[in-house]
Amino acid sequence: MTCTVNSLALRVVVPDADEEGAVAQLRPIVDGRDLVTEVFDRGPAADPLRMLRADSPLRAAATDGPREMRWAEALCTEECCGALYVTVRRDGDQVVWDGWRDPYEGEVALGEFRFDARAYDAEVERVATGDGWEWPGHAVARLLDSEFRRHPEWLERWQCRFGSVFSLPWERERITFSFFHPEFPPAEDGDPWLQFLMTEPVTDAAPDEQVRAFVERITVSDPRAAADVCGGSRESAERLGYPWPQRPKRREKR
């Protein structure tokens, strides 16, 4: 008996720059069917940066066992209205998607899909390199994300841990970089921790040049001096010696 081999196209949907709040989405098109649109209408498909990382289950490395992957999440969070998951595994010279589920509704009737592994890997790599859809800020964020995940020691020297880096579709002229001090989650309950945020403008220079310049600054000077506290608690800030951000006061109703 022969198994049907399905075709996969990964499509990145990028909102217009003036659509504030809209996010870029990575959508799986299998045999011409947009699977997320077909079965999940409570939120956007997955973020391309998260899905295309080297350690993402989407890549289905031959050395990996079956791993579950989230293709979409409800706008109000998964805990409220669910998400769309699939299990990804390598089976010889094929990549298999099956075990579709939604924590909100249970099993999802999509069945099993099988892809030629070589064609599958080529399609993932095509999209992962930008392939015409990426704006400059996203390219810089993607390269920085990869570098800081590969080199945690760059921030560890400052007693910090990498959080995330991104460029929002409606803020394409800058990137946002976040990190934690000393670490998150904390080593023990009650240990203080803070989240820091810094923004950097995107220039006309090549993305890899901008990444090198950013990394050089991080490795020679404490990034906390150029960042703002954005998370944690007032108590943690006091214990660690940082000012807690002032929140704008709410106007009283008259």
Side-chain angles (χ1 to χ4, degrees), residues 2 59 65 79 84 91 107 111 141 143 147 167 172 187 197 202 204 207 210 240 245 251:
T2 59
R59 291 185 174 270
E79 291 73 18
L84 179 64
D91 184 13
E107 291 185 10
L143 294 173
E147 289 296 287
S167 176
R172 302 186 185 196
L197 205 67
V202 175
D204 293 332
Q210 296 183 65
L240 293 170
R251 289 186 177 181

Side-chain angles (χ1 to χ4, degrees), residues 21-63:
V23 296
Q25 304 176 50
L26 181 66
R27 309 191 75 87
I29 312 301
V30 177
D31 299 336
R33 299 164 55 191
D34 185 331
L35 300 185
V36 173
T37 298
E38 193 172 305
V39 300
F40 194 84
D41 62 0
R42 282 163 272 137
D47 169 44
L49 185 60
R50 176 176 64 84
M51 294 294 282
L52 296 168
R53 287 175 182 145
D55 61 352
S56 167
L58 178 64
R59 291 185 174 270
T63 54

